[in-house]
Amino acid sequence: MAAATKKRGRGQRDGAAADVVNILDRSCKDRMAPVGLSAFSFLFSELVQYCKKRAPSVGVLEAKLAACGKQVGVKVLELMCLRDKNFKRGKGIAFVISFIHQSFWKALWGKASDGHIKQSEQEYYIVDNEPIVNKFISVPDELSNLSCAAFVAGAIQAVLEGFSHTATVVAHSQPLDEFPTRVVYQLQFAEAS
């Protein structure tokens, strides 16, 4: 009779398989389910609060958000290279801008960016009409100049450095009537890039 009663693990229902796969045992090449918007919004708002407690000014807060975004950008780029066995690393600036606009943006946000503009050989813009990082953040009056899109600017910076390009990336808020949270990311490349 004792053989008929099976101990259930924590969280297992009757008849559930005892084979529980540890997340660390799964392959990085497997496609992951997208993160829910509410979960991302909660985690991002906590990140902003964490950085805000350690920043004396808006400029320092944006720099901290950009540094966090840079770390995320490096990891996402590594994961994209690992998952795509046909990944080819182009050298030109036009290739990198197109990669950020389409592939990288889709890996981060599930869709391509809303556009990219070439201003000159050293200056490009990437447009996001409805940035998720600004969607659920309420900015107090004393931080009215804060742009949480600095996080995304840091992620873009990481991709550019991953492709061996030297550039500065700045997030500019440029609202339109139909897109009040619109952000344009300015990519200013160094002369020798």
Side-chain angles (χ1 to χ4, degrees):
M1 188 72 164
T5 58
K6 190 161 76 168
K7 268 190 168 179
R8 287 183 288 160
R10 190 169 155 181
Q12 285 185 333
R13 292 173 284 175
D14 288 332
D19 298 327
V20 178
V21 178
N22 186 343
I23 192 168
L24 298 175
D25 294 334
R26 294 193 324 208
S27 171
C28 287
K29 292 186 178 186
D30 294 339
R31 298 285 177 200
M32 302 282 285
V35 175
L37 182 59
S38 60
F40 172 79
S41 299
F42 174 74
L43 288 174
F44 188 72
S45 68
E46 289 299 313
L47 174 67
V48 172
Q49 290 298 318
Y50 176 82
C51 292
K52 182 182 171 219
K53 289 178 185 174
R54 289 155 180 76
S57 67
V58 173
V60 175
L61 176 55
E62 286 181 350
K64 287 184 179 291
L65 287 174
C68 292
K70 195 171 183 179
Q71 292 176 356
V72 169
V74 167
K75 297 299 180 191
V76 170
L77 183 60
E78 286 177 359
L79 190 59
M80 289 177 71
C81 293
L82 179 68
R83 285 184 177 163
D84 187 3
K85 61 184 173 189
N86 296 324
F87 184 79
K88 292 183 175 62
R89 189 177 141 186
K91 296 276 186 191
I93 293 175
F95 173 81
V96 176
I97 298 296
S98 178
F99 174 80
I100 292 170
H101 163 65
Q102 294 171 341
S103 303
F104 184 72
W105 218 265
K106 189 170 184 179
L108 280 179
W109 313 119
K111 65 177 184 78
S113 71
D114 294 309
H116 63 348
I117 303 163
K118 178 181 179 179
Q119 185 69 24
S120 68
E121 290 299 319
Q122 281 80 34
E123 190 172 0
Y124 291 80
Y125 296 96
I126 295 177
V127 179
D128 191 0
N129 289 332
E130 297 177 292
I132 293 175
V133 293
N134 289 348
K135 196 168 193 170
F136 299 105
I137 300 292
S138 58
V139 179
D141 291 339
E142 67 269 10
L143 299 175
S144 62
N145 295 335
L146 174 66
S147 174
C148 292
F151 177 83
V152 180
I156 294 170
Q157 180 84 39
V159 173
L160 294 172
E161 289 176 5
F163 281 92
S164 301
H165 289 286
T166 306
T168 56
V169 182
V170 181
H172 298 285
S173 180
Q174 294 186 346
L176 299 175
D177 290 337
E178 61 271 13
F179 301 113
T181 60
R182 181 175 184 253
V183 174
V184 176
Y185 301 94
Q186 178 186 18
L187 289 68
Q188 184 73 43
F189 288 89
E191 295 290 329
S193 225

